[in-house]
Amino acid sequence: MSESAGVQQGSPAIGAAGSAPAAPGAGGTEGSGATVGSARIAVKKALLRSSPRPKKLEKLGVYSSCKAEGACKCNGWKSQNPPPTPPRTDQQPNTVNLLETCRSCSHTLGDHVTHLENVSEEEMNRLLGIVLDVEYLYTCVHKEEDADTKQVYFSLFKLLRKCILQMGKPVVEAQESPPFEKPSIEQGVNNFVQYKFSHLPSKERQTIVELAKMFLNQINYWQLETPSQRRQRVPADDAAGYKVNYTRWLCYCNVPQFCDSLPRYETTQIFGRTLLGSVFTVMRKQLLEQARQEKDKLPPEKRTLILTHFPKFLSMLEEEVYSHSSPIWSEDFLVGSSGGQIAIHTVISAPPVARPLYYSTSPVAVDPSSCGSVSPARKTASALEPSPGGQKRKPSEPLPHEETKKLRIVGDIPMELINEVMATITDPASMLGPETSLLSAHSARDEAARLEERRGVIEFHVIGNSLNQKPNKRILMWLVGLQNVFSHQLPRMPKEYITRLVFDPKHKTLSLIKDGRVIGGICFRMFPSQGFTEIVFCAVTSNEQVKGYGTHLMNHLKEYHIKHDILNFLTYADEYAIGYFKKQGFSKDIKVPKAKYLGYIKDYEGATLMGCELNPNIPYTEFSVIIKKQKEIIQKLIERKQAQIRKVYPGLSCFKEGVRQIPIESIPGIRETGWKPVGKGKELKDPDQLYSTLKTILQHVKSHQNAWPFMEPVKKTEAPGYYQVIRFPMDLKTMSERLKSRYYTTRKLFMADMQRIFTNCREYNPPESQYYKCANLLEKFFYNKIKEAGLIEK
């Protein structure tokens, strides 16, 4: 995780601290100043290209070597009578004389331009464009103070100077040519949209696409900080790697914005995860700060998009950028099920004077064939191609070819009807979480926290101490803040013990940051080889509680572990924490085999071991919103059904006539509502057939591997006090005797005795016990056998 404090870097709309080339006369490094300089250069080129041919020859002669006989070594014609500086506007420009001699080699101007006699006007104009770019870079070299940037400018200056001498085309010589990393930033963002949002309806997904386009455009015009500035801000960073990327960015992306004789590439198309990771944290912080400052200037149609949805989009993307196991950076990432790849790509254009945060391309998917002028170096299709492979989390919608294979279940609602209902829901963007009805009485516990996260009020970061890397001041401050929160909220725990675990490199902490300070966190230790994680401390500072932070913290932790393929939590909860953990899906029924965690985690006296099994198909941070959406769909379906069957029948008069009872199905209109008689199962009237069926079921149950605790009556010596707790004991031996004596005249008597065995076991034994688990498994097996025999409906 990179640090976000220190020297600022920014987009042109915020103010660039990186050294953007300042155009001659612009006198600054602001994005707008550079743009003005770029416009001046364009005007100069247009004027020069419209000049008479002799004037063009004079300009090119300055940068052309002498071709006179005698092997003259002069590399540029210099006038004997240079114009006054500054030039006087009241004088007419001197007529160019090809016979005027050079003050360096004494040969004429004509001797310097003999190679241009038969050159076409188009080629001459191209060379003149390079000439003005050379003059611009010469100014940049002398104005630039940063040594690394100056070196790049000078190298490009020499390259263009050589191109004029040799009449060649500029090609930046480098060990690697673009793209430098695959997948590119653009591809990664496309993959992210597919990975996280392919399950959304088209309208909501289109909102995400618009956010992605906005983000990519911001990166394409983002000014990188110089390597020296970055070393001061993040000393422990990979300085050499950043310098290489910075040099490439200057050569291929930044300088070509102003020197159009150099081929220009988009940052998002030739750089990948490495460069994005080096700028993302600071970029995210400044974009959100800019959004808050300019909220009153935002167009109404963009305000909700930027203030509400954009912060959440950036938070989710940040997790994928810095996660070592994120599938979006895999070259074999599989396209989601939304019917194809979402086309998110940007088009090279002149940088705006002040690029607003809400700038984006068309809100519909971009068609590469209809894009504007793309750089010659990027004439390959910029729509991202799907690649083979797999992804960790499967979208909720089935793939098109799987839809035909999917078995239809009786009572399933047709997808056509679902899609139709989705289109009628009044709040189409509710999946993205606008403020409407979020904080109602029926809202989920984490609604308020989710809303604050989208607005950028709170942030979540997984941090930890390290013995291998140079200490990061910001992370160390957060760790100290976490130690204070845990110490205040867990007074029974020794302070030294909390400090030791929080700063232990083997432990990590999901920290909750609000206004730059720590207000809560979950300290945990991962055991990947054993398949579980131990939660050590979990607390939110007292004045920030009852806001849903605890639930949202746990949901973020669940998603973090799903990405790392760890699907079980274990923790020892004291009496005050058991309620919290139960709400988060923990129970005393531990799914992890005891051999897996025994000896790995510490026992706490007076605490209860609880566990939670994660489902990798559940997006936990969005789960409550998905449930809310499902409830809205069901409500709409009910309303539709009611509208179809809304018919008033006359009241029943049969009861006035003395009828005591009537069948439910005889009530007028009852069947139109979809009501069906409850299946009661088949009652075997033949006693021999019933006996034979029950005997077979009982034999199967007794032969099951989990039946051993229930074979005989419980002995008082083995379970003291058992018969004081259990008033009606039952076991399989007693049931066998009853069956033999023909006690079970109906299936209900048999099922009641069997159910009593399981109920008694769960009442007497704790959930974490082996007996409790055996009862659950055997009960499930028993009811499967009953269904197979046809005694109850499946």
Side-chain angles (χ1 to χ4, degrees):
M1 178 182 297
S2 58
E3 192 178 2
S4 59
V7 180
Q8 287 191 340
Q9 64 187 104
S11 66
I14 299 173
S19 299
T29 60
E30 294 294 323
S32 57
T35 308
V36 173
S38 177
R40 289 179 180 176
I41 295 171
V43 171
K44 280 187 176 183
K45 287 183 178 181
L47 290 174
L48 188 56
R49 286 165 176 163
S50 62
S51 302
R53 188 176 179 89
K55 188 71 176 176
K56 294 180 181 179
L57 291 173
E58 178 190 22
K59 191 72 174 178
L60 289 170
V62 175
Y63 294 93
S64 302
S65 58
C66 184
K67 307 296 187 298
E69 296 180 2
C72 181
K73 296 182 179 180
C74 179
N75 279 330
W77 181 82
K78 295 177 181 60
S79 174
Q80 295 283 0
N81 303 302
T85 305
R88 291 175 57 184
T89 56
D90 59 342
Q91 287 186 343
Q92 294 294 326
N94 296 327
T95 304
V96 177
N97 185 359
L98 295 178
L99 299 177
E100 186 178 349
T101 57
C102 172
R103 69 171 186 262
S104 294
C105 68
S106 299
H107 293 113
T108 64
L109 169 61
D111 290 330
H112 285 78
V113 295
T114 53
H115 62 296
L116 299 173
E117 290 178 0
N118 298 319
V119 169
S120 66
E121 201 71 18
E122 183 181 354
E123 175 64 10
M124 190 170 287
N125 287 339
R126 184 185 74 84
L127 293 173
L128 287 169
I130 299 178
V131 165
L132 287 183
D133 286 344
V134 166
E135 292 177 350
Y136 165 62
L137 284 172
Y138 181 79
T139 306
C140 290
V141 169
H142 287 277
K143 283 189 174 185
E144 183 57 54
E145 297 179 358
D146 178 71
D148 296 313
T149 311
K150 183 190 287 283
Q151 184 179 2
V152 176
Y153 289 165
F154 187 63
S155 298
L156 294 176
F157 166 80
K158 290 194 297 181
L159 170 66
L160 295 181
R161 184 82 170 78
K162 184 179 178 181
C163 286
I164 300 172
L165 286 170
Q166 299 178 355
M167 297 179 63
K169 293 185 178 180
V171 178
V172 179
E173 295 180 2
Q175 292 181 347
E176 292 184 55
S177 58
F180 302 113
E181 190 175 0
K182 291 183 180 180
S184 65
I185 296 173
E186 183 179 280
Q187 177 74 68
V189 172
N190 267 274
N191 293 345
F192 167 71
V193 172
Q194 292 283 22
Y195 177 47
K196 287 289 188 180
F197 306 103
S198 60
H199 65 284
L200 297 182
S202 58
K203 283 188 178 180
E204 298 176 17
R205 191 166 62 248
Q206 191 52 54
T207 302
I208 296 295
V209 170
E210 190 172 351
L211 293 174
K213 291 176 183 177
M214 183 195 311
F215 176 72
L216 290 174
N217 275 287
Q218 289 294 325
I219 296 177
N220 282 329
Y221 294 99
W222 193 263
Q223 299 295 320
L224 299 188
E225 57 189 339
T226 65
S228 58
Q229 290 172 329
R230 186 170 180 83
R231 279 194 298 272
Q232 294 175 6
R233 187 175 64 82
V234 193
D237 193 46
D238 178 15
Y242 181 81
K243 183 177 178 180
V244 170
N245 276 337
Y246 177 76
T247 302
R248 290 169 172 170
W249 172 77
L250 280 177
C251 292
Y252 293 100
C253 305
N254 185 252
V255 174
Q257 287 188 41
F258 314 96
C259 300
D260 61 7
S261 55
L262 289 166
R264 184 191 165 202
Y265 297 81
E266 292 194 53
T267 306
T268 56
Q269 292 180 341
I270 65 172
F271 292 99
R273 184 182 193 176
T274 305
L275 181 72
L276 182 59
S278 64
V279 304
F280 189 92
T281 304
V282 176
M283 181 179 178
R284 173 179 176 272
K285 181 179 180 182
Q286 292 189 18
L287 287 177
L288 295 181
E289 181 61 31
Q290 178 192 353
R292 283 193 286 269
Q293 291 176 357
E294 299 180 358
K295 61 183 179 181
D296 295 332
K297 302 177 185 177
L298 295 175
E301 67 275 10
K302 296 287 183 182
R303 194 166 294 153
T304 301
L305 183 73
I306 293 173
L307 296 180
T308 304
H309 305 330
F310 198 43
K312 175 64 175 176
F313 176 87
L314 293 178
S315 295
M316 295 176 69
L317 180 57
E318 183 178 32
E319 292 182 15
E320 305 304 321
V321 170
Y322 296 114
S323 169
H324 296 296
S325 59
S326 174
I328 72 170
W329 302 107
S330 170
E331 288 194 52
D332 57 357
F333 180 89
L334 178 67
V335 175
S337 64
S338 58
Q341 179 81 345
I342 299 174
I344 305 171
H345 53 274
T346 48
V347 182
I348 295 175
S349 58
V353 174
R355 177 168 291 276
L357 177 65
Y358 51 84
Y359 173 84
S360 69
T361 51
S362 170
V364 297
V366 180
D367 179 6
S369 61
S370 64
C371 293
S373 57
V374 181
S375 167
R378 297 300 294 176
K379 284 186 178 178
T380 55
S382 56
L384 303 177
E385 296 295 327
S387 53
Q391 66 186 68
K392 188 189 308 176
R393 229 184 249 196
K394 296 179 181 177
S396 57
E397 295 180 6
L399 291 170
H401 67 276
E402 289 178 349
E403 182 68 22
T404 56
K405 297 180 182 179
K406 185 178 177 182
L407 294 174
R408 300 298 296 175
I409 301 171
V410 177
D412 265 5
I413 300 169
M415 282 305 300
E416 297 78 13
L417 180 58
I418 292 291
N419 294 332
E420 188 180 340
V421 170
M422 285 290 294
T424 64
I425 292 178
T426 54
D427 185 8
S430 62
M431 187 71 84
L432 301 172
E435 291 86 345
T436 51
S437 74
L438 268 183
L439 303 180
S440 65
H442 303 289
S443 299
R445 287 186 296 272
D446 61 337
E447 292 279 12
R450 290 173 64 258
L451 185 58
E452 286 190 7
E453 186 184 7
R454 288 197 194 95
R455 290 173 172 169
V457 177
I458 59 175
E459 298 175 353
F460 296 87
H461 300 273
V462 176
I463 61 174
N465 198 9
S466 174
L467 299 179
N468 303 322
Q469 299 178 356
K470 194 171 181 180
N472 183 307
K473 182 180 177 182
R474 192 179 186 200
I475 290 178
L476 289 176
M477 291 295 291
W478 282 350
L479 288 173
V480 171
L482 287 163
Q483 188 266 350
N484 287 334
V485 170
F486 293 144
S487 298
H488 281 93
Q489 299 304 125
L490 307 171
R492 294 183 179 182
M493 201 66 68
K495 205 168 194 177
E496 297 79 6
Y497 179 68
I498 292 176
T499 304
R500 178 158 62 85
L501 293 192
V502 169
F503 284 89
D504 179 6
K506 295 177 182 177
H507 288 72
K508 294 180 181 179
T509 306
L510 173 63
S511 54
L512 170 58
I513 312 298
K514 185 174 185 179
D515 298 328
R517 62 186 181 86
V518 176
I519 64 168
I522 301 177
C523 182
F524 60 93
R525 181 174 177 181
M526 303 169 77
F527 294 94
S529 63
Q530 305 306 110
F532 76 91
T533 281
E534 178 190 13
I535 295 178
V536 186
F537 306 124
C538 177
V540 175
T541 188
S542 55
N543 60 335
E544 296 286 358
Q545 290 180 5
V546 203
K547 295 182 180 179
Y549 292 153
T551 296
H552 206 43
L553 258 172
M554 187 61 72
N555 286 338
H556 269 287
L557 189 68
K558 289 175 179 177
E559 292 209 337
Y560 177 83
H561 278 77
I562 287 172
K563 291 172 189 172
H564 289 79
D565 294 320
I566 298 178
L567 302 181
N568 281 285
F569 287 159
L570 291 177
T571 187
Y572 273 96
D574 62 23
E575 56 184 314
Y576 302 106
I578 288 177
Y580 165 76
F581 281 110
K582 278 187 176 180
K583 291 176 183 177
Q584 309 312 317
F586 286 71
S587 73
K588 298 175 184 178
D589 185 11
I590 309 300
K591 302 295 184 182
V592 182
K594 196 169 185 179
K596 286 282 187 182
Y597 63 83
L598 195 63
Y600 284 87
I601 64 175
K602 307 168 203 66
D603 292 331
Y604 292 90
E605 189 177 345
T608 303
L609 181 64
M610 302 184 75
C612 177
E613 186 175 21
L614 307 182
N615 186 329
N617 294 315
I618 295 177
Y620 284 96
T621 54
E622 301 295 326
F623 192 52
S624 60
V625 185
I626 293 172
I627 296 299
K628 180 182 176 184
K629 177 69 72 177
Q630 291 174 345
K631 288 180 178 178
E632 290 176 359
I633 294 171
I634 296 298
Q635 183 61 38
K636 287 289 180 183
L637 290 171
I638 292 172
E639 290 174 4
R640 283 185 167 224
K641 189 70 176 176
Q642 287 176 339
Q644 292 171 2
I645 64 171
R646 191 161 286 143
K647 184 178 178 181
V648 179
Y649 291 88
L652 295 173
S653 58
C654 59
F655 299 109
K656 292 181 180 179
E657 300 169 0
V659 177
R660 297 285 301 276
Q661 184 178 346
I662 62 172
I664 295 177
E665 55 267 30
S666 67
I667 300 174
I670 192 71
R671 289 190 179 272
E672 287 85 340
T673 65
W675 177 88
K676 292 180 181 179
V678 178
K680 299 179 181 179
K682 183 174 67 175
E683 187 68 74
L684 299 177
K685 295 182 179 179
D686 184 354
D688 293 332
Q689 187 181 357
L690 177 63
Y691 172 81
S692 177
T693 303
L694 297 182
K695 182 179 180 181
T696 303
I697 293 172
L698 187 58
Q699 286 295 337
H700 282 301
V701 172
K702 291 169 71 174
S703 302
H704 195 271
Q705 60 182 0
N706 292 301
W708 60 269
F710 317 110
M711 296 299 290
E712 295 186 354
V714 176
K715 296 178 181 177
K716 294 182 180 180
T717 54
E718 294 178 355
Y722 179 84
Y723 292 98
Q724 279 74 41
V725 176
I726 303 302
R727 295 177 59 194
F728 303 104
M730 184 51 61
D731 60 273
L732 295 176
K733 182 180 179 181
T734 303
M735 286 191 66
S736 297
E737 293 171 353
R738 286 189 170 189
L739 179 65
K740 194 173 181 180
S741 64
R742 303 292 178 122
Y743 167 81
Y744 299 118
T745 56
T746 66
R747 62 181 173 88
K748 290 184 178 180
L749 285 173
F750 180 79
M751 292 173 63
D753 274 359
M754 187 68 75
Q755 185 61 52
R756 182 172 292 142
I757 293 176
F758 308 134
T759 304
N760 290 346
C761 177
R762 285 191 286 258
E763 186 176 350
Y764 183 77
N765 298 288
E768 63 270 18
S769 69
Q770 194 68 26
Y771 303 108
Y772 195 103
K773 295 176 182 177
C774 285
N776 289 342
L777 294 171
L778 190 61
E779 180 182 39
K780 185 177 180 182
F781 175 78
F782 167 69
Y783 278 100
N784 284 335
K785 288 298 176 183
I786 285 287
K787 289 175 184 176
E788 289 174 8
L791 297 182
I792 60 174
E793 286 192 349
K794 296 183 180 180

